[in-house]
Amino acid sequence: MTGYGSEREAYLKRLRRIEGQVRGLQRMVEEDKYCIDILTQVSAATKALQSFSLELLDEHLATCVVQAAAAGGEEADLKVREASDAIARLVRS
């Protein structure tokens, strides 16, 4: 079971918007747009993905990790380790 189930449609809508931003970047390169304008749009797409990632991580912590912690045992340890690794990847990116 996923923790984002109740927000699935909203997440998909956001991802489609981000996909549109990336397609826009492709179009800008195809049309030889000014480098700084492209970089500005790259920054916007990056921020959108970061925001999405943080929201999804928050959902994961609030649902999957909390449920596993309540159950205890190896599953709890695994979920906490997974979350910690995910946070480390986000911080490095």
Side-chain angles (χ1 to χ4, degrees):
M1 180 155 114
T2 58
Y4 59 85
S6 64
E7 297 294 321
R8 185 172 182 265
E9 287 306 313
Y11 284 151
L12 288 170
K13 183 178 178 180
R14 286 179 71 180
L15 288 170
R16 285 197 270 304
R17 196 174 316 125
I18 294 167
E19 180 183 18
Q21 287 178 296
V22 173
R23 288 184 193 277
L25 285 166
Q26 291 172 324
R27 221 174 7 263
M28 290 176 82
V29 171
E30 288 170 352
E31 296 170 359
D32 291 324
K33 297 294 183 180
Y34 186 54
C35 298
I36 298 302
D37 293 340
I38 295 170
L39 289 170
T40 299
Q41 292 306 311
V42 167
S43 178
T46 300
K47 292 253 187 236
L49 277 171
Q50 288 171 338
S51 175
F52 173 80
S53 297
L54 290 173
E55 193 170 321
L56 187 60
L57 177 62
D58 187 54
E59 283 283 331
H60 179 68
L61 292 171
T63 56
C64 300
V65 175
V66 167
Q67 289 171 3
E74 284 185 34
E75 183 70 16
D77 295 340
L78 174 65
K79 293 293 182 192
V80 169
R81 198 167 333 128
E82 286 176 343
S84 180
D85 291 345
I87 292 167
R89 284 192 301 273
L90 287 171
V91 168
R92 284 191 300 264
S93 64

